[in-house]
Amino acid sequence: MFIHVVKSKIHRVKVTGADLNYIGSITIDEDLLDAANIVEGEKVQIVNNNNGERLETYAIPGPRGSGEITLNGAAARKVAPGDILILITYGMMTKEEALKFKPSLVFPNKDNLLK
């Protein structure tokens, strides 16, 4: 049997943009993607600390060192610039693998940059 386990977490990033007219996804500074071990196109759960919204979309890379966190498409209606988010990805593994697995946890600064 496989279980879902937290694979990656980017804790408390600030929304920098919301683009309703983009095709969809969340744009994330590529430095943050690398640090969190998230790949382009990977499903991301988004938790909005400001309004309680939870949604899922997929990651696309933003410019390195930009601190960009932009919700695109319909997801743009669920956030406002300045909202604080937690971004989570999950992996499927056996219980035995999960007991040994260590997720990638990233805690950016107030500008969404690595410390």
Side-chain angles (χ1 to χ4, degrees):
M1 176 177 15
F2 288 94
I3 60 174
H4 291 263
V5 177
V6 172
K7 177 183 128 336
S8 309
K9 179 177 174 183
I10 303 175
H11 190 74
R12 297 186 59 83
V13 287
K14 182 173 35 178
V15 174
T16 60
D19 186 356
L20 184 61
N21 295 311
Y22 190 82
I23 195 166
S25 69
I26 180 171
T27 304
I28 303 170
D29 178 325
E30 197 165 3
D31 285 342
L32 294 175
L33 289 177
D34 288 349
N37 193 28
I38 298 172
V39 299
E40 183 174 355
E42 186 170 354
K43 182 165 81 171
V44 177
Q45 181 182 43
I46 300 163
V47 180
N48 188 327
N49 282 3
N50 291 78
N51 63 20
E53 290 281 354
R54 288 177 173 255
L55 62 121
E56 293 179 342
T57 189
Y58 59 94
I60 61 172
R64 286 189 182 280
S66 67
E68 182 176 0
I69 302 292
T70 300
L71 276 291
N72 303 304
R77 294 199 183 275
K78 305 287 187 177
V79 301
D83 282 358
I84 301 298
L85 308 179
I86 299 170
L87 310 178
I88 308 163
T89 66
Y90 300 88
M92 292 181 61
M93 57 192 77
T94 66
K95 179 180 177 183
E96 293 75 24
E97 290 171 319
L99 291 171
K100 298 174 188 171
F101 181 76
K102 299 294 181 217
S104 298
L105 307 175
V106 179
F107 300 90
N109 67 17
K110 66 179 179 61
D111 298 313
N112 297 341
L113 302 174
L114 300 173
K115 298 176 184 176

